[in-house]
Amino acid sequence: MSDTFEPKIVAFLCNWCSYRAADLAGTSRIKYEPNVRIIRVMCSGRVDPTFVLKAFSLGADGVMIAGCHPGECHYLEQNYKAMRRYYMLRHTLRSMGMEDDRLRLQWASAAEGVQLAAAINEMIEQVRALGPLNWSANWHENGRRLEALGRLAQEHAEAMEVPA
Amino acid sequence: MAEKVGVYICHCGSNIAGMVDVEGLARWAGANLEDVTVARDYKFMCSSLGQELIEEDIKKEGLTRVVVGACSPHLHEKTFRKACANAGLNPYLMQMASLREQISWVSSDKDKATEKAKALISGAVRRVIEQEELFASEAPVNPNTLVVGGGVTGIQAALELADAGYHVYLVEREPSIGGHMAQFDKTFPTLDCSACILTPKMSDVGQHESITLLSYAEVEEVTGYVGNFHARIRKRARSVKEADCTGCGVCIEKCPKKVIDDVFEAGLGYRKAIYRPFPQAVPKYPVIDREACTYYLKGTCKACEKFCPTNAIDFEQQDSFLDLDVGNVILATGFDMFDSTRLPQYGYGRLANVFSNLEFERMCNAAGPTDGKVVLRDGVTTPESIAIVHCVGSRDKKHNPYCSAVCCMAALKFGHLAIEKTGAQVYSFYIDMRTPHKNYEEFYDRLLAEGMQFVRGRVAEVTDAARLPGEEGKLIVQSEDTLAGRQRRTPVDMVVLMGALEPRHDARETALKFGISCSMNGWFTERHPKLDPVATMTDGVFIAGVCQGPKDIPDSVAQGAAAAARVMAMITKGTVLIEPVVATIHEENCSGCRICNNLCPYNAITFLEDKGVSYVNAALCKGCGTCVAACPAQAISGAHFSNEQIFSEIEGLLYDAISGNGAGHKVEPAGVPA
Amino acid sequence: MTGKPKLALYWAASCGGCEIAVLGIDERILKVAEAFDIVFWPCVLDGKVRSIEKMADKEIELCLFNGAIRTSEQEYMARLLRQKSKVLVAFGSCAHEGCIPGLGNVATREEIFQISYHDTPSTVNPEGTRPQAETEVAEGTLYLPHFYDTVKTLGQTVEVDYYLPGCPPEPERIWDALTAILTGALPPPGAVIGAQTTVCDECPRTREEKKIKEFKRTWEIIPDPEVCLLEQGIICCGIATRAGCGALCPTVGSPCIGCYGPNEGVQDFGARMMTALASVIDSDDPQEIESIISRGIPDPIGSFYRFSLAHGQLRRCALPLEADTLDATKAA
Amino acid sequence: MKYSYYPGCSLEKNAASYHESTMAIAGPLGLDFVEVEDWNCCGATEYHALNQTAAYALIARNLAQATKNEGLDTLVAPCSACYLNLRKCDKYMATEPELAGRVSQALAEAGLSYKGGTLHVRHLLDIVYNDVGLETLQAKTTRPLKGLRVAPYYGCMIVRPGFHNGDDDPEYPVTLDRILTALGAELVDFPMKAHCCGGHMTQISEATGFELIRRLIKSADDYEADLIVTICPMCQLNLDGFQGAMNRHFGTSYHIPVLYFTQLIGLALGLAPRDLGVGSEIVSAKEALSKIGAEVEEAEVATPRQRRDDKALPMPGRRGEG
């Protein structure tokens, strides 16, 4: 590729703090890189690890989970559950060979538009430095697969035919 | 059946159109996205003409889903939901993409912005197809209100509601209502006598037929939801039968046991083991402090019982419980004073003549332990010089980063009272003088004229280690005078520490009990810091006064009244709408593993023993989705934020990613290679 | 030849337990033989691939296919049987979700060959011989099946009509499925034939609300016989695993390891375990949470994906970038 | 409990009594110190102002040497300056890559290396307070310091924020207070406990140095302390060695002996004064220590500050302290 790599980051933002921080970044005209695609959830506690895994398998280069600061969750304490799941997921992803920087847990209050924008930019830079994830490429088999399949059919036709 | 999706791209004048190729985007959506039957762009989608465009398409084109690419849903989600509803489409079948806040306003490259917009629209289209019809339900509102905390804020709230004819249960932890304000001598900046303006309100509360006053009581448990809360109140045993007590006070007079009064007198004075916090207490009934009473400790005495003319003393009395049904709750639980021993360099608790602000309040109060005389700890000597130290525990990263808001004015008040009562030289050591309110700055000017000395700089330490002439026997205040640019050692007789206002030590437990949240500093969190300062995220639970954040008496009173007004609106309307965005447990998939059971802070999830499954009470559920994400059996679904909806949104957002095209995800055509 | 519908059974990358499980239906196997003409079952009957190849498409009524797809030969057979069968059932955990063979996806072919043919203590291979896909001998070229880097499930290889979970499927569930197929009382294609809830539903242990301060390995404690194993800190996958086995393992004090796969509609078994366990960790302190997780769950893939790694969203561990086995697409 | 031990230069000469008393109490308290082999000066308080790389290389060499004590990951320094330098250096080696790079290069020249965070650098006071503990001290006390009025003096080096991992207050530390109380001593509320002793000021500006010493001695005298207890050789040197000169400078006649906390612990444990280096101090502690001879006499100590007449108002309690 000739140009710089443009990572795709999927971000799950909670409705009350971090999504509002994104709104604030907008109304304050704080520029950040266009590589992030935001999904609104009511609470960071709604983020199912499956969402994260699915995003990675569908081609995301990084995933951000953002919620209210600890102790400030609009649902009292659900962001702690998001935090626990984040550490659990990171633990598993590490053993699958995924770099830590590709999954980020970010606290952002409704007043922290600047901070959220900076965190997004920082994450984009980190992921850009890591390069494309392209996870599903891990599944591709060696190019000789189809050849091998074809040979079996041929072999059977030649060798397994009992002469009359 | 394939859905018919309408996509509407808003220019927002040039707000979006200036950075995103809106026409191109609409064309692209119409041509490339599955199930999109109509795709239009329009100058202002939120205008009535814009809305009509959607309504018409729903009717004429038979749209079954609508996507609006415009501003943040926090601005216009309601607008477009309403437009859909007008045209007969369930409002929950509309999805917004935030092209303005998330793209045009934060991007600087039009091509990249347009590419990002395509992804967002694609995500919204895929998501909206999975969305389902939802319907809000209604519940009645109980007209009774629970007010927690009988300080001036709670008193105001209770009176506003009671005067409007609604019944109020006012719960106060201490034996009397009145709160911190009852301890003060004067109030700034007008210097009215605090008791003179507060006690009439207190007796109004005591006598009001619409107020049930529950003092020496605490809320044990709250269940239910907006309009229909159930509260269990623990009335602590007073050891005095309220029905029989006349409040004559003989028992107090005759009680032989004197103890330091840590609460009302701030530790500066004494009270008896049977006591009323202060003479004008409401209610008038005394309580026996069982930890101090000789009878409870040693089994003999009973002086109070002997002398009581109405046989109102009951040593055997037990805590009792009261179950209340209320529609709304107002929390006005106030604050704790900062414990200044936490800053040992200021000598509080070590150096006799260092006083806390509350001690000084009591000292100034004519009904206080010194009869209003300002004296040193020896009880007789009048100080000739007094230093008032601001921001003790406030604006201090080691303790509380916030400004306590009232201390500057209280310090000015102390300066005035000290000068008036003793003629002493009074110094104020401040960081910034904060006097923003009607007539506050004028009060500062007055103190400047009265001769109070102001030193701008934080105090490093208060010590009795003298080393310069004139320091012997004095307290030396070591500070940096940032205006003069030098160090100062100021020898004084007395030091008053303006301690911070802190959240109640049990504020977090209280918050949990009522299902609301606390800020990082521990103050209760309001629904919106500017536009909704007395409501909380929990419908039907309101907050007022200092429990929401430091503020002075006028602001507290205003919030008490505001909370009451909000409650009255709820009562007057009579019903509340219950949001349909809730979690549902599908019994047939639930194995009763009970993982979800303690994940809900609103106790909406219960385990049904008979069926062996868990159940979500929709009225209590706030729709956060945490249990949905947690269920190992995937037996819980979250309305409007279902797995399918979010999976589809992810797929849509990543429509242009390499593997989003299907590589590796789809099975190759069957059959054996030739 | 009879007019009975034809039945085929096949065994790809699996242990053979599924074959035995079929016989676990006891004398009812005779009813199967009565109802079907068993045309192909290499484990039990003599049969020729060639005769299958010569059949018309969809000539076989029902094919029970067990085993994951690890080699080109297995993929070939999967494709062949798909082509020739009306109803293809992914029979057992390997075909359904990769199972233990799927755990090979933590490594590459190179690593597996290195261990199998060189590093194991019992291997004597001084010449360093390795299986070769092609070998030239005097008589010509000999071929061996191609060994894949990544184990795939049957469903990732060909369209599958039904899935029968379990390692192996319980005989009663097999009989239920056969009955359903014989009587035509089938769920919509693509479905898993089985219960709609999880193992806890069948588990006799008592369950309370959960809070976990420490995850424990099975050898660390002697569990209370009455109480939910998870509440005692043992990672029991019963919460997330489809019911059907009768909670065999937890009943006898051994935690469920998840062989029946995820519950209805679940796309990633490991994610369900991770999220459920993380949700009930009894700590709000990041450092403590990390240490509870890293101390208590040293092998997250083995704990959460023992049977379903190949079936999960990520399917395998990342391939090393420099691995020469990579397809050109990775570099692109 | 086994530790690496870095005595530092002072403990070889002027603070020999600190070293002697530390060694004397180590056995009874169950402490085992393994001296770092071939250690060198820590650079004291000035060197890093002159040449940062050389200064930290000097300190890092000691850390590197200490890692040679196999199996010991805690390095104990009795001198506050040494403690501060070692701890700072350990931290910078982990957090300041640029400096660490230069220092590592210097170490490599000598075939040494040190990775920040390898050792836990701790002050002797920390070891006695946290590892030995007040209960053990109390239990082992055979000659309680009853009646001895002591001013606990921490100096300014040890109390930097982060001392005791933030468990003690840098403005008003209490660790030493609690140790002395456990030994039975009567504590004075020494307001100057964390103020500077002057460091090397006597060598630079005598008048300034003497003034700083005077403040401390005067305050202890105002509180009628029998002696000052210190944890730092520099403090001891200034307050003890220069007390006479300071008296002459100001025309005063203070007589406040200055002892190390290890010496007082030794006395409380019943050890002989001479085994603890007691007697080597310049301002004699003989009279003060006569109060706690083998035959302990309950001395009536006047406490005028605590007298209170009927009108007196109650003092606020210090919450959180029983």
Side-chain angles (χ1 to χ4, degrees), chain B residues 227-276:
Chain B
N228 301 278
F229 291 108
H230 314 286
R232 193 170 171 77
I233 314 293
R234 176 193 287 268
K235 285 200 71 184
R236 289 164 62 200
R238 282 187 116 92
S239 311
V240 171
K241 287 179 276 187
E242 294 181 17
D244 298 333
C245 177
T246 61
C248 70
V250 171
C251 52
I252 300 171
E253 218 172 277
K254 298 296 180 188
C255 175
K257 182 71 178 285
K258 204 168 135 180
V259 289
I260 293 177
D261 183 356
D262 272 329
V263 179
F264 192 78
E265 296 295 1
L268 198 69
Y270 299 87
R271 62 163 167 79
K272 295 293 184 61
I274 184 166
Y275 72 105
R276 264 196 300 251

Side-chain angles (χ1 to χ4, degrees), chain C residues 19-253:
Chain C
E19 308 276 344
I20 294 160
V22 173
L23 298 175
I25 62 173
D26 304 331
E27 71 283 357
R28 285 172 291 187
I29 192 74
L30 298 174
K31 286 191 182 172
V32 176
E34 217 169 85
F36 289 104
D37 176 14
I38 302 175
V39 294
F40 193 58
W41 192 357
C43 179
V44 176
L45 305 170
D46 185 21
K48 297 283 176 280
V49 177
R50 193 63 191 149
S51 56
I52 304 296
E53 285 170 343
K54 287 184 163 178
M55 284 182 176
D57 287 359
K58 311 269 179 199
E59 193 177 321
I60 299 169
E61 183 71 20
L62 171 66
C63 174
L64 303 180
F65 191 107
N66 77 76
I69 308 301
R70 155 60 93 193
T71 67
S72 56
E73 194 246 357
Q74 288 157 353
E75 178 167 356
Y76 176 82
M77 288 306 293
R79 286 167 172 245
L80 178 67
L81 288 165
R82 169 69 281 181
Q83 197 179 357
K84 306 296 180 188
S85 307
K86 266 190 205 143
V87 175
L88 177 67
V89 175
F91 185 93
S93 177
C94 292
H96 175 208
E97 47 174 2
C99 193
I100 305 299
L103 278 178
N105 287 356
V106 301
T108 61
R109 174 175 60 180
E110 265 315 295
E111 288 164 346
I112 292 170
F113 278 11
Q114 182 63 32
I115 289 170
S116 298
Y117 296 106
H118 301 275
D119 295 349
T120 47
S122 57
T123 300
V124 180
N125 184 3
E127 285 86 32
T129 309
R130 275 197 190 195
Q132 300 297 316
E134 296 175 20
T135 311
E136 298 294 340
V137 292
E139 291 82 359
T141 309
L142 294 178
Y143 300 102
L144 276 181
H146 190 67
F147 188 97
Y148 293 166
D149 269 314
T150 301
V151 172
K152 289 190 289 183
T153 68
L154 185 62
Q156 287 161 358
T157 311
V158 293
E159 294 285 350
V160 169
D161 298 306
Y162 298 105
Y163 296 87
L164 196 63
C167 179
E170 282 299 305
E172 286 311 308
R173 299 291 89 71
I174 296 172
W175 182 246
D176 290 349
L178 286 171
T179 313
I181 292 162
L182 282 171
T183 57
L186 280 166
V192 176
I193 301 174
Q196 308 274 303
T197 181
T198 66
V199 173
C200 297
D201 202 45
E202 301 174 330
C203 179
R205 291 172 178 266
T206 58
R207 289 182 294 277
E208 299 290 333
E209 294 188 355
K210 290 172 176 52
K211 269 193 174 175
I212 300 175
K213 199 84 195 175
E214 192 187 356
F215 293 110
K216 297 196 184 77
R217 318 296 302 278
T218 44
W219 45 265
E220 286 178 307
I221 59 163
I222 297 171
D224 182 303
E226 307 293 332
V227 177
C228 169
L229 291 168
L230 193 54
E231 283 160 30
Q232 302 180 56
I234 296 176
I235 296 178
C236 176
C237 297
I239 49 172
T241 305
R242 189 183 291 266
C245 61
L248 290 173
C249 300
T251 305
V252 298

Side-chain angles (χ1 to χ4, degrees), chain B residues 260 267-268 270 339 341 344-345 348-350 352 376-380 461 463-467 472, chain D residues 169-172 189 191-192 195 211 214-215 218-219 223 309 311-319:
Chain B
I260 293 177
L268 198 69
Y270 299 87
D339 172 11
T341 60
Q345 64 268 40
Y348 186 67
R350 290 195 293 117
L376 298 182
R377 193 76 65 175
D378 64 8
V380 290
E461 74 171 341
T463 179
D464 59 349
R467 66 162 193 257
E472 290 296 336
Chain D
D169 194 315
E171 301 276 1
Y172 193 83
D189 181 17
M192 310 289 283
H195 282 233
E211 168 58 18
R214 184 189 73 91
R215 292 177 187 176
K218 175 185 181 300
S219 183
Y223 272 94
D309 66 25
K311 296 251 172 83
L313 301 164
M315 277 290 287
R318 192 166 183 197
R319 273 170 233 174

